[in-house]
């Protein structure tokens, strides 16, 4: 693998080609918060909490660091006032969906986020996709999927598969940042998996 050099928060960092900015920063000990990142899964960029600013010449843009490729000469700022404001708003929106989530509450405290200025019915799922992707990419079970689009999007179990796979697996329960998938499973089991005679 080719070695590349980039600058993150004023520090020269060495990374491997193919790594994302998030991976390069983590390898250098630079913390970037994220909710939808998991080391066993393909990068997703769903939560956008890992947003950073990349600078090219006199221009900059905000990108999701978990999907943005590290490259030679790239300049990255992970903790500017602009980035902290973006994260704060994202966290406030996530809080409206999952107000009891410990990882989100911890981030809210770190960024001074307050969900009170947004109104939204709690869904308890932040659509980070960790459960769906883990089930598909790691377990190869495909017992979970997304349905619908936009504001109607949600995670659901595929009853024919979940009824035989999920009870014995349950590995996605531990990676869900809101614990929603555990409750969703119990509800799906009761309503759609059917009962054995």
């Amino acid at each position: 693998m080719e070695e590349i050099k980039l600058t993150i928060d004023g520090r020269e960092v060495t990374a491997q080609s193919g790594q994302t900015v998030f991976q390069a920063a983590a390898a250098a000990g630079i913390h970037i918060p994220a909710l939808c990142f998991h080391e066993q899964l393909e990068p997703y960029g769903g939560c956008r909490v890992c947003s950073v600013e990349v600078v090219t010449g006199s221009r900059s843009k905000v990108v999701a660091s978990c999907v943005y490729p590290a490259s030679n000469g790239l300049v990255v700022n992970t903790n500017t006032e602009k980035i902290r404001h973006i994260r704060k708003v994202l966290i406030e929106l996530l809080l409206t969906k999952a107000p009891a989530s410990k990882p989100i509450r911890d981030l809210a405290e770190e960024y001074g986020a307050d969900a009170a200025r947004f109104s939204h019915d709690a869904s308890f799922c932040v659509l980070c996709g960790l459960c769906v992707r883990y089930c598909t990419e790691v377990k190869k079970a495909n017992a979970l999927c997304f349905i619908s689009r936009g504001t109607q999007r949600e995670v659901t179990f595929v009853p024919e598969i979940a009824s035989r796979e999920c009870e014995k697996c349950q590995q996605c329960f531990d990676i869900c940042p809101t614990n929603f998938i555990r409750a969703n499973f119990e509800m799906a089991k009761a309503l759609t998996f059917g009962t054995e005679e």
Side-chain angles (χ1 to χ4, degrees):
M1 255 185 209
E2 181 189 352
E3 197 170 83
I4 56 177
K5 293 191 183 302
L6 64 158
T7 302
I8 303 177
D9 293 341
R11 276 180 51 194
E12 185 175 273
V13 169
T14 301
Q16 302 296 318
S17 63
Q19 283 189 314
T20 65
V21 168
F22 185 90
Q23 292 168 323
I30 299 169
H31 173 70
I32 299 174
L35 287 174
C36 69
F37 178 81
H38 191 283
E39 62 277 351
Q40 290 182 283
L41 303 177
E42 288 294 314
Y44 183 62
C47 73
R48 300 286 172 171
V49 173
C50 70
S51 291
V52 297
E53 202 169 3
V54 294
V55 181
T56 308
S58 61
R59 306 185 73 173
S60 70
K61 62 181 176 183
V62 175
V63 300
S65 66
C66 70
V67 293
Y68 198 84
S71 60
N72 257 328
L74 189 68
V75 176
V76 181
N77 296 313
T78 71
N79 204 25
T80 62
E81 186 175 328
K82 179 180 183 178
I83 290 300
R84 290 190 63 81
H85 178 71
I86 289 169
R87 287 185 189 145
K88 178 181 175 184
V89 172
L90 289 169
I91 293 162
E92 287 175 340
L93 291 168
L94 291 169
L95 269 176
T96 64
K97 289 185 169 188
S101 166
K102 182 170 181 349
I104 297 172
R105 285 195 337 254
D106 289 347
L107 285 170
E109 185 174 327
E110 180 180 347
Y111 286 90
D114 179 9
R117 67 188 184 122
F118 293 109
S119 175
H120 191 281
D121 291 334
S123 62
F124 307 103
C125 177
V126 294
L127 300 173
C128 67
L130 282 173
C131 57
V132 174
R133 294 182 295 133
Y134 190 85
C135 187
T136 302
E137 295 176 27
V138 177
K139 300 305 294 182
K140 313 282 187 212
N142 298 309
L144 284 161
C145 66
F146 288 109
I147 58 170
S148 298
R149 293 174 177 227
T151 59
Q152 303 301 312
R153 192 172 198 201
E154 61 184 75
V155 171
T156 191
F157 286 91
V158 179
E160 307 80 41
I161 301 170
S163 61
R164 67 173 189 270
E165 299 291 334
C166 295
E167 189 75 58
K168 64 185 177 211
C169 176
Q170 300 188 8
Q171 291 182 13
C172 64
F173 293 7
D174 294 332
I175 61 173
C176 176
T178 67
N179 282 325
F180 168 76
I181 200 65
R182 184 182 310 271
N184 194 10
F185 174 71
E186 292 301 328
M187 186 179 303
K189 190 167 70 170
L191 296 176
T192 62
F193 290 1
T195 56
E196 293 182 16
E197 295 292 328

